[in-house]
Amino acid sequence: MELNLKNPLIIFDLETTGVDVSRDRIIELSYIKVYPNHKEETRTYRINPEMHIPETSTAVHGITDEDVKDCPTFKMVAKELERVFEGCDIAGFNSNRFDIPLLVEEFLRCDCTIDFGKRKFIDVQTIFHKMEQRTLEAAYRFYCGKELKDAHAASADTAATYEVLKAQLDRYPSLQNDVEFLSTFSSFTKNADFAGRIVYNDKKQPVFNFGKYKGMLVEDVLRRDPSYYSWMMQGDFPLNTKKVLTNIKLGMK
């Protein structure tokens, strides 16, 4: 089934130096950009992360320091990627919890002004887990009847994710071919920040989603324990989380 799109949709995947959104960096980014008329554009970037790629990460994706030593840094391609992603909805596999937060961090480090706030996000893994409880390789086998070759190469994972999403729409009549519906369906929580440290409750009020104040209104915590703001700002939290927290603090009456 072809996707019913109002905006261009980017399906993307990252290979990284690790899984820490605050500290790790992108070393490979692949995307398929699908337009409402179903035209497709595909590209893969290799990126110098300006840090050592741990051997444990290389064991997963096969990319070494030597492979990226002559590649551009993220800052060198940030403006180009900003134009690619501008105005697009976004899809990926486990993207809401990892790929999107990490991509946003990279853009923030480069002072890019791209605004993801109005975009719709489809997480194919969440749809898959709600429906079948499997991994990407199993999802590809289950929905597409194929074996995923070159797993953990960004280009292969990106293409597989796109095929799985279309196959999910074919398989489940209850899934609406609509980006807004798929975005809502593939979200477990409504995040205020991309890393999910702050989420919205049923009344659309921001609450902390971790630690000793989990479930409590952010404004109430900042009034009761003003030092908590300083602790988070000085702590190892994503830049986007700190930005959201600051905006909430500045908006308090």
Short mmCIF file of all heavy atoms in Angstrom, two decimals, residues 99-151:
data_model
loop_
_atom_site.label_atom_id
_atom_site.label_comp_id
_atom_site.label_asym_id
_atom_site.label_seq_id
_atom_site.Cartn_x
_atom_site.Cartn_y
_atom_site.Cartn_z
N ASP A 99 16.67 7.86 17.56
CA ASP A 99 17.20 8.55 16.39
C ASP A 99 16.82 10.03 16.35
O ASP A 99 17.66 10.89 16.08
CB ASP A 99 16.71 7.86 15.11
CG ASP A 99 17.19 6.42 15.01
OD1 ASP A 99 16.62 5.56 15.71
OD2 ASP A 99 18.13 6.16 14.26
N ILE A 100 15.55 10.34 16.61
CA ILE A 100 15.12 11.74 16.57
C ILE A 100 15.75 12.56 17.69
O ILE A 100 16.29 13.65 17.44
CB ILE A 100 13.58 11.83 16.59
CG1 ILE A 100 13.02 11.32 15.26
CG2 ILE A 100 13.12 13.27 16.83
CD1 ILE A 100 11.52 11.16 15.22
N PRO A 101 15.74 12.09 18.96
CA PRO A 101 16.43 12.87 20.01
C PRO A 101 17.90 13.12 19.69
O PRO A 101 18.40 14.23 19.92
CB PRO A 101 16.26 11.99 21.26
CG PRO A 101 15.01 11.24 21.01
CD PRO A 101 15.01 10.95 19.54
N LEU A 102 18.59 12.11 19.17
CA LEU A 102 20.01 12.30 18.86
C LEU A 102 20.21 13.26 17.69
O LEU A 102 21.11 14.12 17.72
CB LEU A 102 20.66 10.95 18.55
CG LEU A 102 22.17 10.98 18.27
CD1 LEU A 102 22.93 11.64 19.41
CD2 LEU A 102 22.70 9.57 18.04
N LEU A 103 19.36 13.16 16.67
CA LEU A 103 19.45 14.08 15.53
C LEU A 103 19.20 15.52 15.98
O LEU A 103 19.91 16.45 15.57
CB LEU A 103 18.45 13.68 14.45
CG LEU A 103 18.42 14.56 13.20
CD1 LEU A 103 19.76 14.51 12.47
CD2 LEU A 103 17.30 14.13 12.26
N VAL A 104 18.21 15.71 16.84
CA VAL A 104 17.92 17.06 17.36
C VAL A 104 19.12 17.60 18.13
O VAL A 104 19.48 18.78 18.00
CB VAL A 104 16.66 17.03 18.26
CG1 VAL A 104 16.52 18.35 19.03
CG2 VAL A 104 15.42 16.78 17.42
N GLU A 105 19.77 16.75 18.92
CA GLU A 105 20.96 17.18 19.66
C GLU A 105 22.06 17.65 18.71
O GLU A 105 22.71 18.68 18.94
CB GLU A 105 21.48 16.04 20.53
CG GLU A 105 20.66 15.75 21.76
CD GLU A 105 20.63 16.93 22.72
OE1 GLU A 105 21.67 17.25 23.32
OE2 GLU A 105 19.55 17.53 22.87
N GLU A 106 22.27 16.91 17.64
CA GLU A 106 23.30 17.30 16.67
C GLU A 106 22.97 18.65 16.04
O GLU A 106 23.86 19.51 15.88
CB GLU A 106 23.44 16.22 15.59
CG GLU A 106 24.02 14.90 16.06
CD GLU A 106 25.54 14.91 16.14
OE1 GLU A 106 26.13 15.99 16.38
OE2 GLU A 106 26.14 13.83 15.97
N PHE A 107 21.71 18.86 15.70
CA PHE A 107 21.31 20.16 15.13
C PHE A 107 21.51 21.29 16.14
O PHE A 107 21.98 22.38 15.80
CB PHE A 107 19.85 20.11 14.68
CG PHE A 107 19.64 19.53 13.31
CD1 PHE A 107 18.73 18.51 13.09
CD2 PHE A 107 20.35 20.02 12.22
CE1 PHE A 107 18.54 17.98 11.82
CE2 PHE A 107 20.17 19.49 10.94
CZ PHE A 107 19.26 18.47 10.74
N LEU A 108 21.15 21.05 17.40
CA LEU A 108 21.30 22.08 18.42
C LEU A 108 22.76 22.46 18.64
O LEU A 108 23.08 23.63 18.86
CB LEU A 108 20.68 21.61 19.74
CG LEU A 108 19.15 21.58 19.80
CD1 LEU A 108 18.67 20.93 21.09
CD2 LEU A 108 18.57 22.99 19.68
N ARG A 109 23.65 21.49 18.56
CA ARG A 109 25.08 21.79 18.73
C ARG A 109 25.58 22.71 17.63
O ARG A 109 26.57 23.42 17.80
CB ARG A 109 25.89 20.50 18.74
CG ARG A 109 25.67 19.62 19.95
CD ARG A 109 26.63 18.44 19.96
NE ARG A 109 26.19 17.46 20.95
CZ ARG A 109 25.59 16.32 20.67
NH1 ARG A 109 25.37 16.00 19.40
NH2 ARG A 109 25.22 15.50 21.62
N CYS A 110 24.92 22.67 16.48
CA CYS A 110 25.32 23.49 15.33
C CYS A 110 24.52 24.78 15.25
O CYS A 110 24.62 25.52 14.25
CB CYS A 110 25.16 22.71 14.04
SG CYS A 110 26.14 21.20 13.96
N ASP A 111 23.69 25.03 16.26
CA ASP A 111 22.84 26.24 16.30
C ASP A 111 21.88 26.31 15.11
O ASP A 111 21.53 27.41 14.64
CB ASP A 111 23.70 27.52 16.35
CG ASP A 111 24.51 27.61 17.63
OD1 ASP A 111 23.97 27.24 18.69
OD2 ASP A 111 25.68 28.04 17.57
N CYS A 112 21.46 25.16 14.60
CA CYS A 112 20.46 25.15 13.53
C CYS A 112 19.09 25.48 14.11
O CYS A 112 18.77 25.08 15.24
CB CYS A 112 20.42 23.80 12.83
SG CYS A 112 21.88 23.47 11.82
N THR A 113 18.29 26.15 13.35
CA THR A 113 17.00 26.64 13.85
C THR A 113 15.83 25.78 13.39
O THR A 113 14.67 26.17 13.57
CB THR A 113 16.76 28.09 13.37
OG1 THR A 113 16.81 28.13 11.94
CG2 THR A 113 17.82 29.02 13.94
N ILE A 114 16.08 24.62 12.81
CA ILE A 114 14.99 23.77 12.34
C ILE A 114 14.05 23.44 13.49
O ILE A 114 14.49 23.14 14.60
CB ILE A 114 15.54 22.48 11.69
CG1 ILE A 114 14.40 21.66 11.09
CG2 ILE A 114 16.36 21.67 12.67
CD1 ILE A 114 14.88 20.51 10.21
N ASP A 115 12.75 23.52 13.23
CA ASP A 115 11.73 23.31 14.26
C ASP A 115 10.99 22.00 13.98
O ASP A 115 10.25 21.89 13.02
CB ASP A 115 10.75 24.49 14.26
CG ASP A 115 9.69 24.36 15.35
OD1 ASP A 115 9.83 23.46 16.20
OD2 ASP A 115 8.74 25.16 15.34
N PHE A 116 11.21 21.00 14.85
CA PHE A 116 10.53 19.73 14.72
C PHE A 116 9.20 19.72 15.48
O PHE A 116 8.49 18.72 15.46
CB PHE A 116 11.40 18.59 15.27
CG PHE A 116 12.54 18.22 14.36
CD1 PHE A 116 13.83 18.67 14.61
CD2 PHE A 116 12.33 17.41 13.26
CE1 PHE A 116 14.88 18.33 13.78
CE2 PHE A 116 13.38 17.06 12.43
CZ PHE A 116 14.65 17.52 12.68
N GLY A 117 8.88 20.82 16.15
CA GLY A 117 7.71 20.84 17.03
C GLY A 117 6.39 20.57 16.33
O GLY A 117 5.47 20.03 16.93
N LYS A 118 6.26 20.95 15.06
CA LYS A 118 5.00 20.79 14.35
C LYS A 118 4.99 19.56 13.43
O LYS A 118 4.05 19.36 12.69
CB LYS A 118 4.71 22.04 13.52
CG LYS A 118 4.46 23.28 14.38
CD LYS A 118 4.13 24.49 13.53
CE LYS A 118 3.86 25.71 14.39
NZ LYS A 118 3.54 26.91 13.58
N ARG A 119 6.03 18.76 13.51
CA ARG A 119 6.14 17.59 12.65
C ARG A 119 5.44 16.40 13.27
O ARG A 119 5.26 16.30 14.47
CB ARG A 119 7.61 17.25 12.39
CG ARG A 119 8.40 18.42 11.81
CD ARG A 119 8.31 18.50 10.30
NE ARG A 119 6.99 18.68 9.73
CZ ARG A 119 6.44 19.87 9.53
NH1 ARG A 119 7.06 20.97 9.89
NH2 ARG A 119 5.25 19.95 8.97
N LYS A 120 5.03 15.46 12.43
CA LYS A 120 4.45 14.19 12.88
C LYS A 120 5.55 13.12 12.83
O LYS A 120 6.35 13.10 11.91
CB LYS A 120 3.28 13.78 11.98
CG LYS A 120 2.14 14.79 11.93
CD LYS A 120 1.44 14.87 13.27
CE LYS A 120 0.18 15.73 13.19
NZ LYS A 120 0.44 17.12 12.80
N PHE A 121 5.57 12.24 13.84
CA PHE A 121 6.60 11.22 13.93
C PHE A 121 5.95 9.84 13.95
O PHE A 121 5.09 9.56 14.79
CB PHE A 121 7.43 11.40 15.20
CG PHE A 121 8.07 12.76 15.30
CD1 PHE A 121 7.56 13.72 16.15
CD2 PHE A 121 9.19 13.07 14.53
CE1 PHE A 121 8.14 14.97 16.25
CE2 PHE A 121 9.78 14.31 14.62
CZ PHE A 121 9.26 15.28 15.48
N ILE A 122 6.37 8.99 13.04
CA ILE A 122 5.89 7.60 12.99
C ILE A 122 7.03 6.69 13.42
O ILE A 122 8.10 6.71 12.80
CB ILE A 122 5.42 7.21 11.58
CG1 ILE A 122 4.30 8.13 11.10
CG2 ILE A 122 4.98 5.75 11.56
CD1 ILE A 122 3.91 7.91 9.65
N ASP A 123 6.80 5.92 14.47
CA ASP A 123 7.81 4.96 14.92
C ASP A 123 7.33 3.57 14.52
O ASP A 123 6.42 3.01 15.14
CB ASP A 123 8.02 5.05 16.43
CG ASP A 123 9.28 4.31 16.88
OD1 ASP A 123 9.58 3.27 16.27
OD2 ASP A 123 9.95 4.78 17.81
N VAL A 124 7.95 3.02 13.48
CA VAL A 124 7.54 1.72 12.95
C VAL A 124 7.75 0.61 13.98
O VAL A 124 6.98 -0.35 14.04
CB VAL A 124 8.31 1.42 11.64
CG1 VAL A 124 8.02 0.01 11.13
CG2 VAL A 124 7.94 2.45 10.57
N GLN A 125 8.76 0.75 14.83
CA GLN A 125 8.99 -0.25 15.86
C GLN A 125 7.82 -0.30 16.84
O GLN A 125 7.39 -1.39 17.25
CB GLN A 125 10.28 0.05 16.64
CG GLN A 125 10.62 -1.04 17.66
CD GLN A 125 11.70 -0.62 18.62
OE1 GLN A 125 11.57 0.36 19.35
NE2 GLN A 125 12.80 -1.36 18.62
N THR A 126 7.30 0.85 17.21
CA THR A 126 6.18 0.88 18.16
C THR A 126 4.94 0.22 17.55
O THR A 126 4.25 -0.57 18.23
CB THR A 126 5.85 2.33 18.56
OG1 THR A 126 7.02 2.94 19.11
CG2 THR A 126 4.73 2.36 19.60
N ILE A 127 4.66 0.51 16.29
CA ILE A 127 3.55 -0.17 15.61
C ILE A 127 3.78 -1.67 15.63
O ILE A 127 2.88 -2.45 15.95
CB ILE A 127 3.40 0.34 14.16
CG1 ILE A 127 3.04 1.83 14.15
CG2 ILE A 127 2.33 -0.47 13.42
CD1 ILE A 127 3.00 2.44 12.76
N PHE A 128 4.98 -2.07 15.28
CA PHE A 128 5.32 -3.49 15.24
C PHE A 128 5.18 -4.14 16.61
O PHE A 128 4.58 -5.22 16.76
CB PHE A 128 6.76 -3.63 14.73
CG PHE A 128 7.21 -5.05 14.55
CD1 PHE A 128 6.37 -6.01 14.04
CD2 PHE A 128 8.51 -5.40 14.88
CE1 PHE A 128 6.80 -7.32 13.86
CE2 PHE A 128 8.95 -6.70 14.70
CZ PHE A 128 8.09 -7.66 14.19
N HIS A 129 5.69 -3.49 17.65
CA HIS A 129 5.62 -4.06 19.00
C HIS A 129 4.17 -4.14 19.51
O HIS A 129 3.81 -5.08 20.22
CB HIS A 129 6.47 -3.25 19.97
CG HIS A 129 7.94 -3.50 19.81
ND1 HIS A 129 8.89 -2.89 20.59
CD2 HIS A 129 8.62 -4.31 18.95
CE1 HIS A 129 10.09 -3.30 20.23
NE2 HIS A 129 9.95 -4.16 19.23
N LYS A 130 3.36 -3.16 19.15
CA LYS A 130 1.96 -3.21 19.56
C LYS A 130 1.21 -4.33 18.85
O LYS A 130 0.27 -4.91 19.39
CB LYS A 130 1.27 -1.87 19.28
CG LYS A 130 1.64 -0.77 20.27
CD LYS A 130 0.83 0.49 20.02
CE LYS A 130 1.10 1.53 21.09
NZ LYS A 130 0.29 2.77 20.89
N MET A 131 1.66 -4.64 17.64
CA MET A 131 0.96 -5.63 16.84
C MET A 131 1.58 -7.04 16.94
O MET A 131 0.87 -8.03 16.99
CB MET A 131 0.95 -5.21 15.36
CG MET A 131 0.16 -3.95 15.09
SD MET A 131 -1.61 -4.20 15.46
CE MET A 131 -2.30 -2.72 14.71
N GLU A 132 2.91 -7.12 17.00
CA GLU A 132 3.55 -8.44 16.86
C GLU A 132 4.67 -8.73 17.86
O GLU A 132 5.04 -9.88 18.04
CB GLU A 132 4.13 -8.59 15.45
CG GLU A 132 3.12 -8.44 14.34
CD GLU A 132 2.04 -9.50 14.33
OE1 GLU A 132 2.21 -10.55 14.99
OE2 GLU A 132 1.02 -9.28 13.66
N GLN A 133 5.28 -7.72 18.49
CA GLN A 133 6.38 -7.93 19.43
C GLN A 133 7.58 -8.62 18.80
O GLN A 133 7.89 -9.77 19.07
CB GLN A 133 5.88 -8.75 20.64
CG GLN A 133 4.70 -8.16 21.37
CD GLN A 133 5.05 -6.88 22.09
OE1 GLN A 133 6.04 -6.82 22.80
NE2 GLN A 133 4.24 -5.87 21.94
N ARG A 134 8.34 -7.91 17.93
CA ARG A 134 9.52 -8.49 17.28
C ARG A 134 10.62 -7.44 17.10
O ARG A 134 10.47 -6.28 17.50
CB ARG A 134 9.13 -9.04 15.89
CG ARG A 134 8.20 -10.23 15.87
CD ARG A 134 8.86 -11.52 16.35
NE ARG A 134 8.09 -12.69 15.99
CZ ARG A 134 7.04 -13.13 16.66
NH1 ARG A 134 6.63 -12.47 17.71
NH2 ARG A 134 6.40 -14.21 16.26
N THR A 135 11.73 -7.84 16.43
CA THR A 135 12.83 -6.95 16.06
C THR A 135 12.68 -6.54 14.60
O THR A 135 11.82 -7.07 13.89
CB THR A 135 14.18 -7.66 16.24
OG1 THR A 135 14.22 -8.78 15.35
CG2 THR A 135 14.38 -8.11 17.68
N LEU A 136 13.56 -5.65 14.11
CA LEU A 136 13.47 -5.21 12.71
C LEU A 136 13.68 -6.38 11.75
O LEU A 136 12.95 -6.51 10.77
CB LEU A 136 14.49 -4.11 12.42
CG LEU A 136 14.55 -3.60 10.97
CD1 LEU A 136 13.19 -3.09 10.52
CD2 LEU A 136 15.62 -2.54 10.82
N GLU A 137 14.68 -7.23 12.02
CA GLU A 137 14.91 -8.37 11.14
C GLU A 137 13.67 -9.27 11.09
O GLU A 137 13.27 -9.73 10.02
CB GLU A 137 16.12 -9.19 11.62
CG GLU A 137 17.45 -8.50 11.42
CD GLU A 137 17.85 -7.64 12.60
OE1 GLU A 137 16.97 -7.26 13.41
OE2 GLU A 137 19.04 -7.33 12.70
N ALA A 138 13.07 -9.52 12.26
CA ALA A 138 11.87 -10.36 12.30
C ALA A 138 10.70 -9.65 11.64
O ALA A 138 9.87 -10.27 10.98
CB ALA A 138 11.53 -10.73 13.74
N ALA A 139 10.62 -8.33 11.83
CA ALA A 139 9.54 -7.55 11.21
C ALA A 139 9.65 -7.65 9.68
O ALA A 139 8.65 -7.82 8.98
CB ALA A 139 9.61 -6.09 11.65
N TYR A 140 10.86 -7.54 9.17
CA TYR A 140 11.07 -7.60 7.73
C TYR A 140 10.70 -8.99 7.19
O TYR A 140 10.08 -9.12 6.14
CB TYR A 140 12.54 -7.29 7.43
CG TYR A 140 12.84 -6.98 5.99
CD1 TYR A 140 12.18 -5.94 5.32
CD2 TYR A 140 13.80 -7.69 5.29
CE1 TYR A 140 12.46 -5.65 4.00
CE2 TYR A 140 14.09 -7.40 3.97
CZ TYR A 140 13.41 -6.38 3.33
OH TYR A 140 13.70 -6.09 2.02
N ARG A 141 11.07 -10.02 7.94
CA ARG A 141 10.73 -11.38 7.54
C ARG A 141 9.22 -11.61 7.62
O ARG A 141 8.61 -12.19 6.73
CB ARG A 141 11.45 -12.37 8.47
CG ARG A 141 11.33 -13.83 8.07
CD ARG A 141 12.04 -14.75 9.07
NE ARG A 141 13.41 -14.34 9.31
CZ ARG A 141 13.86 -13.88 10.49
NH1 ARG A 141 13.03 -13.76 11.51
NH2 ARG A 141 15.11 -13.54 10.63
N PHE A 142 8.61 -11.10 8.71
CA PHE A 142 7.19 -11.33 8.96
C PHE A 142 6.31 -10.59 7.96
O PHE A 142 5.38 -11.16 7.37
CB PHE A 142 6.84 -10.89 10.38
CG PHE A 142 5.41 -11.12 10.78
CD1 PHE A 142 5.00 -12.35 11.29
CD2 PHE A 142 4.46 -10.12 10.66
CE1 PHE A 142 3.68 -12.56 11.65
CE2 PHE A 142 3.14 -10.32 11.01
CZ PHE A 142 2.76 -11.55 11.52
N TYR A 143 6.59 -9.30 7.74
CA TYR A 143 5.72 -8.48 6.89
C TYR A 143 6.07 -8.58 5.40
O TYR A 143 5.18 -8.48 4.55
CB TYR A 143 5.79 -7.02 7.32
CG TYR A 143 5.13 -6.73 8.64
CD1 TYR A 143 5.89 -6.40 9.75
CD2 TYR A 143 3.75 -6.79 8.78
CE1 TYR A 143 5.29 -6.13 10.97
CE2 TYR A 143 3.14 -6.52 9.99
CZ TYR A 143 3.91 -6.20 11.09
OH TYR A 143 3.32 -5.94 12.30
N CYS A 144 7.36 -8.71 5.10
CA CYS A 144 7.79 -8.63 3.71
C CYS A 144 8.22 -9.98 3.13
O CYS A 144 8.47 -10.08 1.92
CB CYS A 144 8.93 -7.63 3.57
SG CYS A 144 8.51 -5.97 4.20
N GLY A 145 8.35 -10.99 3.99
CA GLY A 145 8.73 -12.31 3.52
C GLY A 145 10.15 -12.37 3.00
O GLY A 145 10.46 -13.18 2.12
N LYS A 146 11.03 -11.53 3.53
CA LYS A 146 12.42 -11.47 3.06
C LYS A 146 13.36 -11.53 4.26
O LYS A 146 12.99 -11.20 5.37
CB LYS A 146 12.68 -10.18 2.29
CG LYS A 146 11.75 -9.92 1.12
CD LYS A 146 12.02 -8.55 0.53
CE LYS A 146 11.03 -8.19 -0.58
NZ LYS A 146 11.28 -6.81 -1.08
N GLU A 147 14.60 -11.93 3.97
CA GLU A 147 15.64 -11.86 4.99
C GLU A 147 16.37 -10.53 4.84
O GLU A 147 16.70 -10.12 3.72
CB GLU A 147 16.63 -13.02 4.84
CG GLU A 147 16.04 -14.38 5.12
CD GLU A 147 15.56 -14.51 6.56
OE1 GLU A 147 16.22 -13.94 7.46
OE2 GLU A 147 14.52 -15.18 6.78
N LEU A 148 16.62 -9.86 5.96
CA LEU A 148 17.29 -8.56 5.94
C LEU A 148 18.80 -8.76 5.87
O LEU A 148 19.43 -9.17 6.84
CB LEU A 148 16.92 -7.75 7.18
CG LEU A 148 17.58 -6.37 7.32
CD1 LEU A 148 17.33 -5.53 6.08
CD2 LEU A 148 17.07 -5.66 8.56
N LYS A 149 19.37 -8.48 4.70
CA LYS A 149 20.81 -8.56 4.53
C LYS A 149 21.45 -7.23 4.92
O LYS A 149 20.83 -6.18 4.78
CB LYS A 149 21.15 -8.89 3.08
CG LYS A 149 20.61 -10.25 2.62
CD LYS A 149 20.98 -10.51 1.17
CE LYS A 149 20.42 -11.87 0.72
NZ LYS A 149 20.74 -12.16 -0.69
N ASP A 150 22.67 -7.29 5.39
CA ASP A 150 23.39 -6.08 5.81
C ASP A 150 22.66 -5.33 6.92
O ASP A 150 22.63 -4.10 6.94
CB ASP A 150 23.62 -5.13 4.62
CG ASP A 150 24.44 -5.79 3.53
OD1 ASP A 150 25.38 -6.52 3.87
OD2 ASP A 150 24.13 -5.56 2.35
N ALA A 151 22.05 -6.07 7.85
CA ALA A 151 21.40 -5.43 9.00
C ALA A 151 22.43 -4.59 9.75
O ALA A 151 23.60 -4.93 9.84
CB ALA A 151 20.81 -6.48 9.92
#
